[in-house]
Amino acid sequence: MRIESAETVVTSPGRNFVTLRVVTADGLTGLGDATLNGRELAVASYLRDHVAPLLTGRDARNIEDTWQYLYRGAYWRRGPVTMAAIAAVDTALWDIKAKAAGMPLYQLLGGASRRGALAYGHASGRDVPELLDSVRAHLADGYRAIRVQTGIPGLDSVYGVAASAAGSGERYDYEPARRTAGGPVLPVEETWDTRAYLRHVPSVFEAVREEFGPELPLLHDGHHRMTPIQAAKLGKSLEPYDLFWLEDATPGEDQAALRLIRQHTTTPLAIGEVFNSVHDYTTLLAERLIDYVRSAVTHTGGVTAMKKLLDLAAVYGVRSGMHGPTDISPVGMAAQLHLDLAVHNFGIQEYMRHSPESLEVFRTSWTFDEGLLHPSDAPGLGVDLDLDAAGRFPYEPAYLPVNRLADGTVHDW
Ligand code: GCO
Ligand code: MG
């Protein structure tokens, strides 16, 4: 099964996506997601200029060997650009293998361990009443687990709060990367105050629990902004509201910081959406400092690497909670849904709905019923790429925001 071509497709149906499309001599097509929000063209060039020439003529069946060839063979290891590129190749080859077998990918990963994957959506509001409306809208749309983010009194714009907290049926999903047609574009700058945040958040969860009761799984993302001692304080102050998890309490590269948080709170902890390798997790797993692994297939080297990471996590009783914002393309999401269905240590799947334009370009077959996602039984990943539709949405430069403290100091966003 010889690889005939490997084409990198950049398209922007409402937001930018990078997709690798691998075609074999016997006519099978595989797709892989390589989208790195705000740095898309770096991965597109890595694939086009450095990886595609190595793929032509290779045997598409040898997924592990191709992974090692691209990882060890590059000499330079890890990093989000490299690992997103390897992920795209790996995912496309799994798509091809499953199509050749005439099976949905999850069958090749061991078969279904559950009926579907519990998904959480992103409720948000500029204030508490708007947030409560957004939670209601998510419940009406079928979500059975909900992430809660709000505006902070005194701050103009805050991570995780959608521009409009629309009602059911309307779009309410948060899209942080801002596009400016025609560029050049500079990132939007936001102002941050951790003390104001720490004062406000417990009252938000109190209001949500009062309105919706104790059952509903609630999640929250700290988005890397706290020091370890501030994160410990927040985890403690949220204990009465029984969170499903507190995510990215501190910047992820400091694994040892999690020790301090863990010593102070029983609020479950999730981390890893900006990680790109199993090596980012070794201390966190071996010392049981986290409860959920947040990596995405797209940024961690694909299905092969994600499965190995989740198997290592299983040894320590740590579960999956794969990253699923809209910047993970429908191809990347589908790959995760197959893993979600197959692995034993599944925890939860983040699921933000893609825009109607994105779903014109990427034809998905997954279903979302009663709060559970299922990847469908279509052979392969179950996603098709409409090249004509992709061509109608050319790339537009976009950046994620930059965060500053009131005195101008750059802070983690
Ligand atoms: C999440 C993430 C996202 C990121 C985004 C950056 O938990 O879903 O924090 O909202 O900010 O993916 O590209
Ligand atoms: Mg996050």
Side-chain angles (χ1 to χ4, degrees):
M1 198 184 281
R2 219 175 48 80
I3 296 176
E4 198 165 71
S5 65
E7 179 194 0
T8 302
V9 179
V10 180
T11 179
S12 194
R15 63 160 359 281
N16 293 316
F17 292 115
V18 178
T19 311
L20 184 72
R21 184 173 176 272
V22 176
V23 180
T24 66
D26 33 351
L28 289 172
T29 301
L31 299 175
D33 179 25
T35 307
L36 187 61
N37 210 2
R39 296 291 188 272
E40 296 87 358
L41 298 186
V43 193
S45 160
Y46 193 111
L47 282 168
R48 246 180 223 144
D49 300 327
H50 303 292
V51 173
L54 308 178
L55 294 179
T56 319
R58 287 183 75 82
D59 188 335
R61 293 173 298 185
N62 297 343
I63 301 178
E64 179 71 28
D65 182 65
T66 302
W67 197 96
Q68 301 295 347
Y69 182 78
L70 294 176
Y71 183 78
R72 290 174 205 278
Y75 183 63
W76 307 108
R77 295 178 187 204
R78 303 164 63 178
V81 175
T82 299
M83 298 311 282
I86 295 178
V89 176
D90 182 82
T91 306
L93 296 186
W94 276 109
D95 192 14
I96 288 171
K97 193 182 278 295
K99 281 177 179 165
M103 290 180 191
L105 174 59
Y106 72 82
Q107 291 294 1
L108 302 190
L109 301 174
S113 289
R114 55 193 53 80
R115 281 189 299 119
L118 177 69
Y120 75 89
H122 284 204
S124 71
R126 283 161 294 189
D127 53 23
V128 169
E130 208 175 77
L131 168 68
L132 299 181
D133 283 347
S134 176
V135 175
R136 272 182 218 106
H138 279 77
L139 291 172
D141 284 347
Y143 284 102
R144 295 293 173 265
I146 296 188
R147 185 181 99 155
V148 164
Q149 308 288 141
T150 54
I152 313 293
L155 299 183
D156 285 344
S157 102
V158 173
Y159 163 77
V161 181
S164 75
S168 176
E170 295 169 53
R171 288 206 47 77
Y172 46 59
D173 290 306
Y174 172 64
E175 196 67 78
R178 313 284 155 79
R179 301 193 308 172
T180 313
V185 200
L186 290 178
V188 169
E189 299 208 354
E190 296 178 344
T191 308
W192 180 247
D193 178 346
T194 308
R195 291 185 64 236
Y197 164 77
L198 293 176
R199 283 195 303 273
H200 187 59
V201 177
S203 69
V204 172
F205 276 89
E206 189 177 2
V208 175
R209 278 287 176 227
E210 203 171 287
E211 184 72 15
F212 298 98
E215 277 294 325
L216 184 63
L218 296 177
L219 302 86
H220 181 67
D221 191 344
H223 225 256
H224 327 271
R225 287 151 191 229
M226 288 168 271
T227 63
I229 203 69
Q230 287 171 332
K233 179 179 172 152
L234 180 66
K236 246 169 124 163
S237 62
L238 293 178
E239 279 171 20
Y241 312 112
D242 189 26
L243 264 60
F244 186 96
W245 79 33
L246 171 61
E247 174 190 345
D248 284 341
T250 50
E253 57 267 43
D254 183 1
Q255 295 190 46
L258 274 287
R259 286 190 192 122
L260 192 144
I261 308 173
R262 203 58 154 178
Q263 279 159 14
H264 289 280
T265 180
T266 56
T267 293
L269 302 172
I271 206 161
E273 69 181 44
V274 300
F275 294 178
N276 47 69
S277 157
V278 65
H279 301 290
D280 297 322
Y281 283 98
T282 45
T283 303
L284 297 176
L285 293 176
E287 297 186 26
R288 299 171 199 270
L289 301 178
I290 56 168
D291 301 279
Y292 297 93
V293 161
R294 283 287 286 147
S295 284
V297 163
T298 305
H299 302 132
T300 310
V303 173
T304 298
M306 194 72 211
K307 175 77 165 66
K308 290 180 187 180
L309 166 56
L310 292 178
D311 287 346
L312 179 64
V315 172
Y316 299 99
V318 174
R319 293 192 285 158
S320 71
M322 281 185 267
H323 193 207
T326 46
D327 46 284
I328 299 296
S329 89
V331 174
M333 261 305 285
Q336 309 200 131
L337 297 185
H338 287 278
L339 276 166
D340 287 337
L341 208 66
V343 298
H344 179 253
N345 57 329
F346 168 75
I348 201 164
Q349 175 62 57
E350 181 180 22
Y351 174 48
M352 289 174 79
R353 300 169 314 166
H354 291 101
S355 69
E357 299 80 14
S358 300
L359 298 174
E360 261 178 59
V361 172
F362 299 96
R363 305 283 162 84
T364 59
S365 52
W366 70 63
T367 56
F368 181 48
D369 272 326
E370 308 263 318
L372 301 185
L373 285 160
H374 189 286
S376 94
D377 281 320
L381 293 173
V383 182
D384 287 324
L385 174 65
D386 182 330
L387 286 174
D388 291 335
R392 286 202 297 276
F393 299 104
Y395 171 76
E396 284 184 29
Y399 282 112
L400 289 167
V402 167
N403 221 6
R404 289 186 189 274
L405 303 179
D407 70 357
T409 308
V410 172
H411 193 65
D412 305 84
W413 175 72

